[in-house]
Amino acid sequence: MAKARKLAAKDGKQASKAGKPVIYVLNGPNLNMLGLRQPEIYGRDTLADVEKLCHKAGTRLGLAVDFRQSNLEGELVTWIQQARTKAAGIVLNAGAYTHTSVALLDALNAAETPCVEVHLSNIHRRENFRHHSYISLAAKGMICGFGPKGYVLALEALADIV
């Protein structure tokens, strides 16, 4: 964590006003429906609950969390591109775009910003088409199957990396 604070102090583009490294937590399609959509798979926590959890973890880890959600692939691409100069890292739950979006993969590769992929459910225990991830090709690692705690684990991993 000390390393993260030193880096943030040197590079104002990747630090918040408080001097903390900025981590983009990006959420893809249908994640705005958490708590309502298939709670037997995704749980009863809402996206607002996940956001609170991330901000709490970010504070503990010395990170500034910028939490966002979009159902639009192009908007996610734009945010990933912005991360190149505005964020020290990315936590990405791309939802269904995980399995289909070469555009997100290309954006992650162009951003040259460490990324941790997150999924609430264990995608490897689900339908075959969910076993493939384009995001994994650019991510430092993937966390899946731990529900909202996966976001915290991803933030902890990034705190060690940035």
Side-chain angles (χ1 to χ4, degrees):
M1 285 186 290
K3 178 182 170 190
R5 281 188 281 279
K6 281 183 186 176
L7 271 174
K10 288 181 184 176
D11 185 355
K13 292 180 181 177
Q14 295 183 355
S16 69
K17 290 179 183 175
K20 296 177 182 180
V22 175
I23 304 298
Y24 279 11
V25 179
L26 305 179
N27 296 277
N30 298 310
L31 287 160
N32 57 309
M33 300 299 291
L34 283 180
L36 301 172
R37 177 182 173 235
Q38 297 176 285
E40 68 281 3
I41 294 173
Y42 301 109
R44 299 226 177 262
D45 289 321
T46 66
L47 193 60
D49 295 330
V50 175
E51 182 174 7
K52 286 178 195 169
L53 189 66
C54 287
H55 284 293
K56 183 177 177 183
T59 298
R60 176 175 56 84
L61 295 165
L63 302 171
V65 171
D66 186 337
F67 195 94
R68 305 174 186 192
Q69 187 277 331
S70 179
N71 291 320
L72 305 175
E73 183 180 29
E75 190 163 36
L76 291 164
V77 167
T78 297
W79 291 341
I80 292 167
Q81 291 172 351
Q82 289 171 354
R84 181 180 176 97
T85 59
K86 298 191 183 302
I90 300 168
V91 172
L92 177 59
N93 183 343
Y97 291 140
T98 299
H99 320 292
T100 63
S101 182
V102 174
L104 290 179
L105 170 61
D106 289 347
L108 287 166
N109 284 329
E112 297 178 340
T113 302
C115 173
V116 177
E117 177 181 359
V118 173
H119 299 283
L120 295 163
S121 67
N122 182 345
I123 62 174
H124 302 290
R125 295 187 71 186
R126 298 191 57 202
E127 304 93 337
N128 283 338
F129 72 87
R130 294 187 196 274
H131 298 179
H132 179 265
S133 167
Y134 283 100
I135 306 307
S136 290
L137 297 172
K140 291 282 186 188
M142 177 205 291
I143 300 167
C144 68
F146 294 102
K149 181 167 180 153
Y151 286 81
V152 174
L153 296 171
L155 287 166
E156 288 173 351
L158 282 173
D160 289 340
I161 294 169
V162 299

